[in-house]
Amino acid sequence: MARAEAPETAPDPTAAAEAATLEVPPELVAQSLGEWFRAWLTRIRSGDSGVLPVILALVIITIVFQAISPHNVFLSAGNLVNLFQQSAVFIVLAMGELFVILLGEIDLSIGYAGGVGAAVTVQLVQPATTKWPWWAAVLAGLLVCVVIGALQGTLVTRLRLSSLIVTLAGLLIWQGTMLIVLGLAFSGYPSLAGLDSNRQVLYNLMNGTIDPVISWIGAAVVVLAIAALLWFGDGRRRRSGLVAPPVSLTLLKIVLIAIVATSVVAICNINRAAFGTQEGVPWVIPIVLAVFAVWMTILQRTRFGRYVYAIGGNPEAARRAGINLAAIRTLCFIICTFTAGIGLLLYASYLGGMSGNINGGQLVLYAIASVVLAGTSLFGGRGKVIHGILGGLVIGGIYNGMGLLGLDVRWQFIVTGLVLLVAITIDSLSRRSATSGSAARV
Amino acid sequence: MGQVIKDSPAAEPRFKARGVDKHFGPVQALTQVDLDLYAGQVTALCGDNGAGKSVLTKCIAGIYEIDHGQFFWEGNPVHVRSPRDAARLGIETVYQDLALADNLDIVQNMFLGRERLRSGLLNEDDMERAATKTLADLRVTTVRSIRQPVASLSGGQRQSVAVAKAVMWNSKLVMLDEPTAALGVVQTKMVLDLVRRLRDRGLAVMVISHNLNDVFEVADRIAVVHLGRLVTQGPASDFDRQSVVDYMTTGASSRSGPRTDADGATSGTR
Ligand SMILES: Nc1ncnc2c1ncn2[C@@H]1O[C@H](COP(=O)(O)OP(=O)(O)O)[C@@H](O)[C@H]1O
Ligand SMILES: [Mg+2]
């Protein structure tokens, strides 16, 4: 229970101070953009590169697949929108898995746990049987996911079972449950394709688009809101002498966000149909952004989020601070499967129905790979919601690009496995160098 | 139990432990411990490695529940079953292992478990200001940024953060478990100064230290633990170095020392 006691020898103070300066995040001490940039380079050279590798990976994937895909179709509007849609499932699953990984735990069941929720939703809206309104069906499906998360979380936290084993059992149990739910009312699989407006709503989660003009207006509103938050937030902190980035850095962030938003809307607003018109931002993009915003706020701005990081960093310190570890941990498992429920609902929408053939095991591995290769540590305590988006895009990019090349699922498995291996190796190595650094320091 | 010690303050101790037992499986870590901690006084808790000092501290801090015995807070019996119970009474602890989360920054560590909120969300600005002020009061000036993760701090800086974390609340009893073990000369002096300032503010302070120089420099009272038993306690003026060392190593001393307050505590005197 008690952790290792502090050693009794005093360190060499100067060496420790030098080591420390390397690891201070640049935005904390820089007064100008140039200074910030230099500090950032120093930090990268010392091995802590943040999200840089995953962004590089995105760039490389884009260049390679653009170069080798038939007719250079990778960067076409139609394919990019498809890529966003495919990635959305990985992204949402990854953002859920993050909560459990931050604790240093794992949830292998989310593919099928979410699958049970999606199956319930899709069954409930079937016009031939229950005919529930779509929103009630969605709530019911997500509620099922919450119950599953609570069950698994309770087993892990109260009975102190290993989350790996509990959720591995869950992977099997929920796959079976999902197949039972799918087989209930029909001999075939329930579909979302249909002319009734109720099912159409669910079908449109992934396939529906927002009018191009409204897309522009919506993007402008979102960018302005984020810009205002950043500008006034940083400004207030700067004025009251608190730690804040230089003005130029705040501006740079706002400009980057504006560029990304503009590019995405511009791409989506290109007519991507071979015949007729198909244009506008798919609904799934604002849905993913909403999940992102809510989960990020919860992790960065609430007590609960702070405690998640604290437990991941040092559970004993969290316990001594009076934090209710069991409650926080259980809640993380609930959030994880709840989010998976959203992810699988999007997947069902993408497929136009719910199928017993979905590969929940593959989905969970893609979700874990997404956050880990973007910089989240499997050892807990380190990771961000944005990692889900960046990593999910990388995985989605590989998945999409290999599909374009006509490489089938066998090669997708192998390449994704290799990517995961690389990501985990980087995680372990950086952790090892970090701990050996701190051992020298203490 | 036990008569009042001469020339100890007439007032009731702020904190009293009576007959405290604690075991871990077969290991009897504490046996029948009686301890008094007075407001406005620094009590040094001495003892060899493994004597049970840290276990006693953690029992008072609510990390471990005691098997037998009773705690009294300002004369009233109290149960301390969790760190929250201790915090509610005004007990703060600097643990020997510091209990800091490496991945959180200084402010986040200092407010862990007691974050300030504004309309349901964390009030970072407020917390950062308060933490900055506390560190300035403690003259901790070496950290580059209060927002840097604790993992990037040196041993002395981490120690300072742990101390600051304990004293920034309106605490009434502060316990420091070997607070100077990782520190250099200058920082040790700083922590000892801080201990004195806390005492002058009227807090009850308990300091665990191996370093007898430090002990005699700040302690108003000395208590010695030997093999899980509290073998003696009394005003520091009743001890000298040799007697403290004797108590620490053998549990008894033939030289000067206080008249014992706990029945049988020094009956082993040979
Ligand atoms: N969590 C624990 N589980 C089992 N034994 C423990 C635990 N904590 C302390 N002990 C034992 O209790 C005894 C006293 O330890 P401790 O209070 O840490 O000594 P010290 O006086 O050096 O601080 C030691 O024998 C130690 O091994
Ligand atoms: Mg100890």
Side-chain angles (χ1 to χ4, degrees):
Chain A
M1 260 216 259
R3 292 168 68 93
E5 313 249 288
E8 310 202 351
T9 47
D12 171 12
T14 50
E18 271 161 26
T21 49
L22 292 183
E23 288 171 48
V24 179
E27 58 272 26
L28 297 184
V29 285
Q31 303 298 314
S32 70
L33 197 60
E35 218 174 286
W36 182 89
F37 197 68
R38 275 191 299 278
W40 185 66
L41 283 180
T42 316
R43 184 160 69 133
I44 289 172
R45 258 182 262 123
S46 75
D48 176 11
S49 43
V51 293
L52 191 67
V54 66
I55 291 181
L56 276 180
L58 267 179
V59 172
I60 292 171
I61 285 172
T62 308
I63 293 172
V64 169
F65 282 127
Q66 174 65 8
I68 64 178
S69 59
H71 312 295
N72 299 38
V73 75
F74 187 78
L75 280 180
S76 69
N79 187 56
L80 283 178
V81 172
N82 189 28
L83 192 160
F84 291 150
Q85 292 170 326
Q86 290 168 329
S87 306
V89 176
F90 307 141
I91 289 173
V92 172
L93 287 174
M95 291 193 290
E97 186 74 34
L98 175 76
F99 280 79
V100 172
I101 292 186
L102 278 177
L103 297 173
E105 308 275 354
I106 199 134
D107 188 339
L108 295 177
S109 74
I110 57 171
Y112 290 117
V116 174
V120 167
T121 302
V122 175
Q123 284 288 26
L124 284 175
V125 293
Q126 292 305 316
T129 50
T130 35
K131 271 192 268 191
W132 280 33
W134 64 269
W135 53 269
V138 169
L139 283 181
L142 293 180
L143 187 68
V144 168
C145 293
V146 166
V147 172
I148 292 176
L151 210 67
Q152 296 185 151
T154 306
L155 288 176
V156 172
T157 56
R158 307 283 170 175
L159 299 187
R160 300 182 188 210
L161 304 180
S162 140
S163 59
L164 186 84
I165 304 299
V166 168
T167 59
L168 188 60
L171 179 101
L172 292 167
I173 293 170
W174 309 127
Q175 181 174 17
T177 312
M178 182 188 82
L179 292 174
I180 291 173
V181 174
L182 285 177
L184 276 183
F186 297 95
S187 49
Y189 291 126
S191 160
L192 285 174
L195 290 176
D196 55 314
S197 58
N198 196 34
R199 275 191 294 170
Q200 202 77 56
V201 174
L202 296 185
Y203 184 76
N204 280 341
L205 290 180
M206 200 48 115
N207 303 297
T209 52
I210 304 167
D211 178 79
V213 178
I214 298 179
S215 299
W216 279 120
I217 297 173
V221 170
V222 170
V223 170
L224 282 178
I226 296 173
L229 275 178
L230 280 175
W231 183 255
F232 293 113
D234 287 355
R236 194 188 59 234
R237 291 178 60 80
R238 231 173 272 126
R239 272 193 306 283
S240 46
L242 301 173
V243 174
V247 184
S248 43
L249 186 62
T250 309
L251 273 177
L252 186 68
K253 279 190 210 161
I254 293 174
V255 169
L256 277 178
I257 290 171
I259 290 176
V260 170
T262 312
S263 321
V264 169
V265 176
I267 291 168
C268 294
N269 279 353
I270 296 172
N271 183 4
R272 52 184 175 269
F275 310 101
T277 50
Q278 197 192 7
E279 55 189 14
V281 174
W283 290 15
V284 66
I285 290 183
I287 292 173
V288 168
L289 290 181
V291 176
F292 169 72
V294 173
W295 282 172
M296 190 180 68
T297 307
I298 284 184
L299 268 184
Q300 305 298 329
R301 296 266 174 269
T302 67
R303 274 191 179 152
F304 165 75
R306 182 63 41 86
Y307 297 166
V308 172
Y309 283 102
I311 293 172
N314 185 346
E316 182 59 23
R319 198 169 78 84
R320 292 190 201 164
I323 293 168
N324 184 342
L325 268 68
I328 304 282
R329 282 189 167 132
T330 309
L331 200 48
C332 283
F333 277 92
I334 293 176
I335 289 179
C336 178
T337 40
F338 172 82
T339 317
I342 300 176
L344 266 291
L345 183 61
L346 293 177
Y347 196 39
S349 175
Y350 183 74
L351 299 175
M354 197 56 193
S355 151
N357 295 328
I358 66 158
N359 191 338
Q362 186 191 359
L363 285 176
V364 70
L365 290 184
Y366 281 1
I368 295 170
S370 297
V371 283
V372 170
L373 69 87
T376 294
S377 171
L378 278 175
F379 301 97
R382 204 155 48 86
K384 292 177 173 170
V385 188
I386 189 80
H387 291 170
I389 293 191
L390 295 173
L393 282 173
V394 169
I395 298 284
I398 295 173
Y399 185 84
N400 174 289
M402 303 204 45
L404 292 181
L405 295 180
L407 295 173
D408 63 12
V409 71
R410 294 170 296 185
W411 290 101
Q412 287 171 20
F413 285 160
I414 291 175
V415 170
T416 314
L418 289 176
V419 171
L420 180 60
L421 213 53
V422 170
I424 290 180
T425 311
I426 293 172
D427 179 31
S428 291
L429 290 180
S430 70
R431 186 186 141 93
R432 212 168 297 155
S433 67
T435 43
S436 64
S438 70
R441 212 179 306 123
V442 170
Chain B
M1 30 169 36
Q3 76 253 39
V4 178
I5 310 157
K6 279 197 201 85
D7 78 11
S8 75
E12 177 74 21
R14 178 159 282 170
F15 174 87
K16 271 193 311 197
R18 287 295 175 265
V20 169
D21 286 348
K22 176 71 198 173
H23 72 90
F24 299 99
V27 180
Q28 191 70 31
L30 296 176
T31 313
Q32 287 293 308
V33 168
D34 298 348
L35 176 70
D36 297 332
L37 301 173
Y38 291 89
Q41 303 229 339
V42 177
T43 305
L45 187 65
C46 306
D48 212 348
N49 273 335
K53 307 179 297 293
S54 294
V55 171
L56 179 57
T57 311
K58 286 177 184 169
C59 286
I60 299 173
I63 307 292
Y64 299 143
E65 250 187 275
I66 56 177
D67 302 333
H68 298 287
Q70 180 71 53
F71 291 154
F72 297 86
W73 185 256
E74 292 170 341
N76 305 311
V78 288
H79 296 281
V80 183
R81 292 205 182 85
S82 72
R84 286 224 185 264
D85 289 349
R88 220 170 283 129
L89 292 172
I91 301 175
E92 292 297 329
T93 314
V94 179
Y95 295 97
Q96 189 167 8
D97 60 17
L98 303 185
L100 299 171
D102 270 357
N103 57 334
L104 299 184
D105 67 32
I106 296 176
V107 182
Q108 293 170 341
N109 264 291
M110 286 174 69
F111 277 89
L112 189 58
R114 291 182 271 202
E115 290 79 5
R116 291 191 191 160
L117 300 180
R118 187 170 48 203
S119 50
L121 298 182
L122 296 172
N123 189 344
E124 297 285 356
D125 297 8
D126 219 30
M127 291 192 277
E128 190 172 321
R129 248 176 253 125
T132 308
K133 185 177 176 311
T134 306
L135 286 178
D137 288 350
L138 300 183
R139 297 186 201 104
V140 179
T141 49
T142 56
V143 296
R144 277 167 65 88
S145 166
I146 194 162
R147 283 297 181 182
Q148 71 192 83
V150 163
S152 67
L153 298 178
S154 70
Q157 292 171 328
R158 296 160 72 92
Q159 190 87 53
S160 310
V161 170
V163 172
K165 179 185 178 184
V167 301
M168 76 179 307
W169 314 99
N170 256 332
S171 34
K172 295 182 152 179
L173 162 62
V174 172
M175 300 185 288
L176 304 102
D177 193 348
E178 310 209 11
T180 57
L183 300 186
V185 180
V186 179
Q187 274 165 322
T188 299
K189 187 175 170 311
M190 195 191 75
V191 169
L192 295 184
D193 283 348
L194 168 71
V195 165
R196 283 193 208 94
R197 261 181 282 147
L198 294 177
R199 170 192 60 197
D200 297 343
R201 274 201 249 156
L203 275 70
V205 185
M206 183 176 95
V207 183
I208 295 178
S209 181
H210 275 121
N211 186 327
L212 290 188
N213 289 331
D214 296 355
V215 168
F216 280 97
E217 204 177 310
V218 292
D220 302 300
R221 293 172 57 81
I222 291 177
V224 182
V225 194
H226 177 68
L227 298 179
R229 293 175 183 275
L230 198 114
V231 288
T232 182
Q233 61 179 325
S237 54
D238 290 357
F239 292 88
D240 60 24
R241 265 155 206 279
Q242 190 54 51
S243 64
V244 173
V245 170
D246 287 348
Y247 279 117
M248 278 168 61
T249 50
T250 66
S253 171
S254 52
R255 299 167 63 102
S256 63
R259 298 171 53 76
T260 176
D261 55 275
D263 298 344
T266 49
S267 62
T269 311
R270 279 156 294 186

